[in-house]
Amino acid sequence: MSFVRYVILRVPCGAARPGPAIGQALGPLGINMAEFCKQFNDASSDLPYEANTPLTVRLNAMSDRTFNFEVRSPPTSWMLMRCAGIKSKL
């Protein structure tokens, strides 16, 4: 088991679903998208953020198709827009 590479993802808190956005990043690495979504949703449910808050995730892919990830805080631009009361069009 050796490190292959890392991927930075932006995933909504508690609402990760296997789909095109996650699939394009994890598919070439051979990582099971459903397993990542399950683990991420479990990990993000304990965080002090509201549902659907965009969180940055650093995922480390290993050569045996296993992975580990680190959930980071939401982007600063998102926090500033939220404090200013600006609604995002996304």
Side-chain angles (χ1 to χ4, degrees), residues 16-27 30-39 67:
R17 291 182 295 273
I22 293 176
Q24 289 178 354
L26 303 185
I31 294 176
N32 185 336
M33 291 180 286
E35 183 63 28
F36 166 74
C37 291
K38 180 182 174 211
Q39 288 184 25
F67 62 91

Side-chain angles (χ1 to χ4, degrees), residues 7-82:
V7 177
I8 303 290
L9 302 167
R10 179 124 344 123
V11 185
C13 182
R17 291 182 295 273
I22 293 176
Q24 289 178 354
L26 303 185
L29 299 172
I31 294 176
N32 185 336
M33 291 180 286
E35 183 63 28
F36 166 74
C37 291
K38 180 182 174 211
Q39 288 184 25
F40 174 80
N41 289 337
D42 290 343
S44 64
S45 66
D46 298 334
L47 297 176
Y49 301 111
E50 295 176 9
N52 293 321
T53 300
L55 297 175
T56 304
V57 178
R58 179 183 166 137
L59 182 134
N60 297 312
M62 306 302 172
S63 61
D64 61 353
R65 298 184 180 197
T66 60
F67 62 91
N68 57 41
F69 62 91
E70 174 187 355
V71 179
R72 298 181 176 181
S73 63
T76 305
S77 58
W78 182 85
M79 288 186 185
L80 290 172
M81 287 175 57
R82 177 136 186 220

